[in-house]
């Protein structure tokens, strides 16, 4: 069974940094895309950053502060978050579009809380 296993997150003061990681668990053929969405209280889930092939896309509000990277040898994606602001507080969900024996399917992690507060 394929799963996304997230780690990282927590509480940080404004201006601080946190990193998230998400690893694919289980047997897959390939990763078509992998990244992070986030959902703040009372808001819809939105794209934070995603990488597919050699391309990356960031939410406009995160450009220059967040960096997404991927280690294909470990089937893991990372999100380095710097200069964090209170408005970055949200549950961050790992997302992946994976090719498996079942075909191409979307997978979600369980979510990890990031809280930016003094």
């Amino acid at each position: 069974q394929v799963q996304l296993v997230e780690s990282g997150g927590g509480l940080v003061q404004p201006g601080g940094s946190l990193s998230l990681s998400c690893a694919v668990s289980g047997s897959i053929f390939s990763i078509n895309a992998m990244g992070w969405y986030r959902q703040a209280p009372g808001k819809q889930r939105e794209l934070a950053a995603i990488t597919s092939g050699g391309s990356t896309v960031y939410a406009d509000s995160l450009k220059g502060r967040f960096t997404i990277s991927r280690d294909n040898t470990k089937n893991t994606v990372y999100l380095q978050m710097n200069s964090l602001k209170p408005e970055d507080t949200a549950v961050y969900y790992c997302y992946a579009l994976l090719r498996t024996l079942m075909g191409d399917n979307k997978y979600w992690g369980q979510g990890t809380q990031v809280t930016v507060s003094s």
Side-chain angles (χ1 to χ4, degrees):
Q1 183 177 357
V2 176
Q3 293 181 324
L4 302 182
V5 181
E6 302 172 1
S7 61
L11 173 65
V12 65
Q13 292 186 342
S17 298
L18 279 176
S19 63
L20 306 178
S21 65
C22 173
V24 178
S25 173
S27 180
I28 64 170
F29 290 141
S30 63
I31 298 173
N32 295 337
M34 202 164 178
W36 298 89
Y37 283 71
R38 66 182 189 176
Q39 187 167 18
K43 296 188 177 181
Q44 290 187 331
R45 191 175 297 188
E46 63 177 7
L47 173 69
I50 195 164
T51 177
S52 177
S55 301
T56 58
V57 176
Y58 294 93
D60 287 342
S61 61
L62 306 183
K63 290 178 181 177
R65 299 190 297 120
F66 287 22
T67 302
I68 189 170
S69 61
R70 202 167 96 187
D71 185 338
N72 291 325
T73 65
K74 298 180 179 179
N75 287 342
T76 299
V77 69
Y78 306 93
L79 187 67
Q80 178 64 40
M81 305 180 290
N82 298 329
S83 302
L84 283 161
K85 305 175 181 180
E87 52 263 42
D88 294 319
T89 295
V91 177
Y92 285 70
Y93 295 92
C94 181
Y95 163 87
L97 178 60
L98 306 174
R99 177 161 293 176
T100 70
L101 277 172
M102 305 302 291
D104 291 346
N105 288 289
K106 300 176 182 179
Y107 294 84
W108 292 93
Q110 77 278 9
T112 186
Q113 178 70 45
V114 171
T115 302
V116 184
S117 175
S118 54

